[in-house]
Amino acid sequence: MDDEQRDDDQVEDDRSILEEGLLQNEGSRQYTGDGSVDIKGRPVLKHNTGNWKACPFILSTECCERLAYYGIATNLVTYLTHKLNEGNVAAARNVTTWQGTCYLTPLIGAVLADAYWGRYWTIAVFSTIYFIGMCTLSLSASIPALKPAECVGSVCPSATPAQYAVFFFGLYLIALGTGGIKPCVSSFGADQFDDTDPSERIRKGSFFNWFYFSINIGALVSSSLIVWVQDNAGWGLGFGIPALFMGIAIASFFSGTPLYRFQKPGGSPLTRMCQVLVASFRKRNLSVPEDSTLLYEIQDKNSAIEGSRKLDHSNELKCLDKASVLSVADTESGVVINPWKLCTVTQVEELKILIRMFPIWATGIVFSAVYAQMSTMFVEQGMMMDTTIGSFTIPPASLSTFDVISVIFWVPIYDRVIVPIARTFTGKERGFSELQRMGIGLFISVLCMSAAAVVEIKRLQLARELGLTDQDVAVPLSIFWQIPQYFLLGAAEIFTFIGQLEFFYDQSPDAMRSLCSALSLLTTSLGNYLSSFILTIVTYLTTKGGKAGWIPDNLNEGHLDYFFWLLAGLSFLNMVVYVVCAKKYKQKKAS
């Protein structure tokens, strides 16, 4: 009987331990598992924070901010030439310089967000700077003393230095403001979904789709309504409406504060990368042990880097592992660990991840060069086509609206139709992996440039048949033949640009997500530079010996189709390189 009693007691104890463990496990599921906290730094409950409850505030913030940005950018060259009375070259240079700055400043905002302030406070501070810039710009276009006098006949007085100063002060405050918002908003939105929860991971994939959708809604309103207001109702109102929407964006963002999940800043990522390089160089003569568990890592459950999970050791780039090798000096008792001499495995893996991501990042530059044609060569091609419908004339640049419409059309189709179908074949929770999604977009970009080349072949053929080769006049071919290339470009965006957003968020180290988002934005800037470089080389080579070249002032005697085929070929080679790099890419493994 004593033995039976002891067995019953043991069973009862085991059951109590099991029930207690299950209760603890159930309690842990109530909280996020990715280290997110509320605004006061406390662990957050899943059911009343983050997820889609918080996202409407973030999506509306992005939509209003993009409306404000494109409300300035879309028609800026017109204001510079018609109101500040700048020449075409000076105005174009000022616009491209400003837009280039808008894609470089995100590096500043990203470092501040990851290292010191966190994404929420970085967005808050830079949004305020952005709003001040918008108001300054509106005042410069409204107050008579801050803008040049109207033209009298053909005499147009130039802006005074003070008028220039006020206008460009506001313009570059906006450029600085975008630097704190661009790299942080998408990452902050994705932070609302717990990486350790499979169901929330699926919803996060949908968030990136609708995030890009909201960007294009803002762009569509700006390129139509706001531009019309600026041209017909005045620039004071035309700049004032975007300023108002920027104020709405700030109000929307702060309204969601009680629902947000926050990731703690982990210190300067640039400093941590330098520490790995210095420590591995100092220990270059040491051997890396075969057993990776002998490499240095703190024993706590959490990483030594604030706001970051531990990263598993990977076998490539072993030279960097030397930064984690424990030397005799490191193991001496009482010695405080110096991060410039000894780094954790997680810190080393952060740098390895960035190096592994680099080839994937680089292939995005060529895609951005193709995307840049929408506002350059596509417009010039359209100017040499029939732009009339009855008595109405279509501005060639307005066809970019079809790109926006394409994006707005494809986002719900992709999210609600393509993903569920793809999921049944691939078994992946998001239908396609981020790498597969970007690869599909690169393939569509080849089709886009091919379509543009085919349209140009048809246009040139018609010009020859009608004897218009030597005349700088439009060919009677409807500009609506350009719609397929714009529509394909929009589809390519849905796959590549949104795939990039997902990839750089998911694969980046937890404490470097803003920085990696900024690097993905940098491909847009570098793509524009690459497009200019290709154009310069092509012009130089094809105009030798007094030839007209591929892209002369009179496109009827040129071969713009060759230029489009060249970009299609480069895009195809870029896609091949991408496929090779994507196959070799090793996914991040976090604890």
Side-chain angles (χ1 to χ4, degrees), residues 85-104:
N85 303 320
E86 290 190 345
N88 287 336
V89 174
R93 184 170 58 242
N94 279 326
V95 171
T96 53
T97 302
W98 176 71
Q99 288 181 330
T101 305
C102 288
Y103 281 96
L104 290 175

Side-chain angles (χ1 to χ4, degrees), residues 317-524:
L317 298 169
K318 285 186 174 290
C319 58
L320 296 177
D321 286 335
K322 294 186 177 185
S324 297
V325 174
L326 284 158
S327 65
V328 175
D330 295 326
T331 56
E332 290 178 359
S333 60
V335 176
V336 177
I337 298 298
N338 182 349
W340 293 95
K341 294 181 180 179
L342 181 65
C343 303
T344 64
V345 169
T346 296
Q347 192 173 338
V348 172
E349 289 302 317
E350 279 190 332
L351 181 55
K352 285 186 183 181
I353 286 171
L354 290 185
I355 294 172
R356 287 202 301 266
M357 290 168 72
F358 179 78
I360 305 295
W361 172 83
T363 56
I365 297 173
V366 176
F367 179 82
S368 293
V370 168
Y371 183 72
Q373 306 313 309
M374 182 175 67
S375 57
T376 53
M377 288 304 142
F378 283 9
V379 176
E380 293 197 13
Q381 182 187 38
M383 291 168 67
M384 300 300 288
M385 300 174 75
D386 182 9
T387 59
T388 60
I389 301 180
S391 60
F392 183 72
T393 301
I394 305 167
S398 69
L399 251 71
S400 62
T401 305
F402 284 100
D403 170 77
V404 178
I405 292 171
S406 175
V407 170
I408 293 171
F409 169 80
W410 279 110
V411 164
I413 294 295
Y414 181 87
D415 197 60
R416 303 300 182 193
V417 179
I418 296 177
V419 168
I421 293 173
R423 193 181 291 143
T424 60
F425 290 99
T426 64
K428 298 182 184 297
E429 55 192 22
R430 297 183 191 174
F432 300 105
S433 68
E434 298 96 335
L435 292 173
Q436 288 172 335
R437 185 172 186 171
M438 286 190 284
I440 294 170
L442 294 180
F443 174 72
I444 297 174
S445 73
V446 177
L447 299 181
C448 169
M449 296 315 301
S450 300
V454 169
V455 169
E456 183 63 12
I457 289 172
K458 178 64 177 176
R459 196 192 68 79
L460 289 175
Q461 180 184 351
L462 195 57
R464 286 191 294 271
E465 289 174 357
L466 298 174
L468 301 175
T469 304
D470 297 328
Q471 301 178 44
D472 189 9
V473 294
V475 170
L477 180 69
S478 175
I479 195 172
F480 287 114
W481 281 99
Q482 284 192 310
I483 289 177
Q485 65 206 53
Y486 280 103
F487 209 72
L488 284 168
L489 189 59
E493 282 182 70
I494 288 300
F495 284 93
T496 300
F497 280 152
I498 301 180
Q500 278 184 341
L501 284 174
E502 287 188 76
F503 176 78
F504 284 106
Y505 181 87
D506 283 348
Q507 293 303 310
S508 63
D510 293 348
M512 287 188 182
R513 280 173 168 162
S514 298
L515 179 62
C516 289
S517 293
L519 291 174
S520 71
L521 291 168
L522 189 60
T523 60
T524 302

Side-chain angles (χ1 to χ4, degrees), residues 4 155 168 436 514 533 558 568:
E4 289 179 8
V155 179
F168 282 102
Q436 288 172 335
S514 298
F533 175 74

Side-chain angles (χ1 to χ4, degrees), residues 165-202:
V166 172
F167 178 80
F168 282 102
F169 175 71
L171 200 61
Y172 278 88
L173 276 182
I174 293 170
L176 180 60
T178 61
I181 297 173
K182 276 178 181 287
C184 296
V185 174
S186 62
S187 298
F188 186 68
D191 286 345
Q192 307 310 309
F193 300 90
D194 185 358
D195 260 345
T196 64
D197 186 322
S199 64
E200 291 200 17
R201 279 203 306 270
I202 295 173

Side-chain angles (χ1 to χ4, degrees), residues 202-216:
I202 295 173
R203 297 188 199 113
K204 183 168 67 178
S206 289
F207 166 78
F208 284 114
N209 294 328
W210 293 106
F211 178 82
Y212 204 74
F213 181 87
S214 65
I215 289 175
N216 282 272

